[in-house]
């Protein structure tokens, strides 16, 4: 009889635990339910650490005492709460809870809680709470806007974009630009060594490839999606890839390695340059002032080289522009004698048309194509210039001249102007016959 009484008593205790959850009314652990979760946690500006548990879970019972100790230690500092996810399944399902206990930290971004992956001890929970508290304080003081690698924000990381679970899709995946993303851990020594190189590369690649950094220990949804297992992990996200897939970075870890690798990708994915006709000052400014070098071609007058002829020259320029697109040069062409001051400043056209000059607008120097205006001839000329060979001369007047506004070519053949017929009906030719 006594044996049955003990078994019945233990069963009663178990039923009471299941009904009342793991934490009693005297515990400092705040009990959350489906009816109060949003108002208390999501609608709060405070930090919440929330355990999702099941009353029958042995691991949850083993963790309960340590979790309650953490709640007492953090009272009035950070909110420590618990949800019976077996009873309130809608909350657990909303946050992807698959096992028990699961602990999540709801910091400044309540829509993207972080998974707690530390030890199941009071000390571990308290440490995680203070780290999140420190992050919130840093954000209020000016924030981790730079996204410095190694968990530390430094002045030279201003061009590194901080990425999170909540902004990753909009910032990277929906971007029209190419991205290199570093997945790091704040405690990782290799990440700290990479940090200054990553920051320097971000500055050098500005305008071409964006560099971001994501704390993979904090933003686990994104890091798990991309299979991040070690730190640092670097992945390349091409522009406009709507499926969200990434490519592995397989370059070196110095800023030079990163820049070189990124520029190769930029060249592979960049469209060929547009070969624009020079019709006003703005065209010249966009081609020459916005690029390290600009290639200026002077094509024969349309009456000397009709549309089929001119299109052949333009096609040569398009092909050579595709080959050298990695250099990000400016490309323009003008009709012979349409811009006489420009031809004089560059001493171009003296050997006939077509002709070509490549101009360094910062140094106000130029080099002339001496060979044939063909793909091979231009390729050899540009190759020599790109490696610093070949003769150069200063631009006359040390500045590019003003450009005459002209109409863009309509793609048609040229036509000689029609001369008006002379009306001789009123002239008496007999009066002048003796002359």
């Amino acid at each position: 009889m006594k044996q049955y009484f003990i078994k019945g008593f233990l069963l009663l205790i178990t039923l009471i635990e299941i009904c009342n959850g793991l934490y009693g009314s005297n515990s400092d652990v705040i009990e959350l339910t489906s009816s109060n979760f949003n108002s208390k946690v999501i609608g709060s500006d405070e930090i919440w650490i929330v355990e999702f548990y099941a009353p029958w879970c042995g691991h949850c019972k083993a963790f309960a005492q340590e979790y309650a100790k953490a709640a007492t230690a953090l009272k009035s500092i950070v909110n420590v709460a618990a949800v019976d996810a077996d009873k309130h399944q809608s909350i657990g399902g909303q946050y992807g809870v698959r096992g028990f206990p699961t602990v999540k930290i709801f910091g400044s971004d309540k829509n993207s809680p972080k998974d707690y992956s530390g030890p199941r001890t009071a000390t571990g929970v308290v440490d995680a709470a203070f780290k999140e508290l420190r992050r919130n304080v840093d954000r209020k003081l000016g924030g981790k806007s730079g996204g410095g690698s190694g968990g530390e924000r430094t002045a030279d990381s201003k061009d590194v974009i901080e990425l999170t679970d909540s902004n990753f899709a909009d910032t990277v995946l929906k971007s029209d630009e190419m991205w290199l993303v570093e997945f790091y851990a704040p405690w990782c020594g290799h990440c700290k060594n990479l940090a200054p190189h990553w920051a320097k590369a971000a500055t050098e690649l500005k305008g071409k490839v964006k560099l971001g950094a994501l704390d993979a220990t904090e933003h686990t949804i994104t890091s798990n999606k991309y299979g991040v297992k070690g730190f640092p992990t670097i992945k390349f996200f091409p522009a406009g890839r709507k499926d969200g897939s990434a490519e592995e970075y397989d370059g070196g870890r110095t800023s030079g390695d990163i820049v070189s690798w990124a520029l190769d990708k930029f060249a592979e994915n960049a469209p060929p340059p547009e070969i624009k006709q020079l019709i006003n000052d703005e065209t010249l400014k966009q081609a020459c002032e916005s690029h390290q070098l600009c290639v200026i071609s002077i094509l024969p007058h349309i009456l000397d080289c009709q549309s089929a002829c001119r299109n052949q020259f333009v096609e040569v320029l398009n092909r050579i522009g595709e080959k050298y697109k990695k250099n990000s040069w400016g490309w323009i062409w003008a009709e012979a004698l349409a811009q006489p001051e420009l031809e004089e400043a560059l001493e171009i056209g003296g050997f006939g048309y077509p002709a070509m000059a490549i101009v360094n607008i910062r140094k106000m120097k130029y080099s002339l194509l001496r060979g044939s205006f063909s793909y091979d001839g231009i390729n050899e000329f540009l190759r020599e210039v790109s490696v610093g060979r070949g003769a150069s001369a200063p631009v006359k007047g040390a500045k590019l001249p003003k450009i005459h506004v002209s109409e863009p070519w309509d793609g048609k053949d040229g036509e000689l102007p029609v001369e008006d017929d002379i009306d001789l009906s009123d002239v008496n030719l007999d009066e002048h016959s003796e002359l």
Side-chain angles (χ1 to χ4, degrees), residues 208 266 270-276 284-296 317 320-332 356-362 378-388:
K208 294 184 176 68
F266 180 79
E274 183 180 357
I275 315 296
K276 294 184 177 181
L284 183 66
K285 182 178 180 181
Q286 290 178 357
C288 292
E289 294 186 10
S290 303
H291 301 86
Q292 180 184 4
L293 298 174
C294 61
V295 182
I296 301 176
L317 293 176
I320 206 73
E322 168 75 29
K323 178 178 177 63
Y324 285 89
K325 66 180 181 179
K326 177 181 177 180
N327 300 78
S328 190
W329 295 338
W331 297 75
I332 51 177
M356 175 181 286
I358 186 165
V359 181
N360 186 322
I361 197 68
R362 294 178 182 84
I378 296 172
N379 178 48
E380 179 63 22
F381 167 59
L382 297 182
R383 188 181 66 81
E384 291 289 311
V385 171
S386 64
V387 296

Side-chain angles (χ1 to χ4, degrees), residues 322-366:
E322 168 75 29
K323 178 178 177 63
Y324 285 89
K325 66 180 181 179
K326 177 181 177 180
N327 300 78
S328 190
W329 295 338
W331 297 75
I332 51 177
W333 68 270
E335 185 176 70
L337 305 179
Q339 306 295 340
E341 289 87 352
L342 178 64
E343 291 189 35
E344 182 182 358
L346 301 178
E347 297 182 304
I348 198 170
F351 299 97
Y353 306 102
M356 175 181 286
I358 186 165
V359 181
N360 186 322
I361 197 68
R362 294 178 182 84
K363 296 182 179 180
M364 274 298 157
K365 289 188 174 184
Y366 69 93

Side-chain angles (χ1 to χ4, degrees), residues 116-181:
Y116 170 73
S117 55
R120 291 176 183 170
T121 63
T123 301
V125 174
V126 169
D127 286 344
F130 274 99
K131 285 180 182 178
E132 185 61 29
L133 188 64
R134 179 68 202 187
R135 291 188 187 99
N136 275 14
V137 171
D138 286 342
R139 290 187 184 99
K140 291 177 181 179
L141 285 173
K144 278 171 58 179
S145 58
S149 299
E152 299 174 2
R153 185 174 63 89
T154 58
D156 62 355
S157 62
K158 64 184 184 303
D159 295 318
V160 178
I161 310 301
E162 181 188 16
L163 299 170
T164 66
D165 282 335
S166 60
N167 72 9
F168 193 89
D170 288 338
T171 305
V172 178
L173 302 184
K174 295 180 181 179
S175 173
D176 292 329
E177 299 177 87
M178 288 174 277
W179 282 79
L180 273 175
V181 177

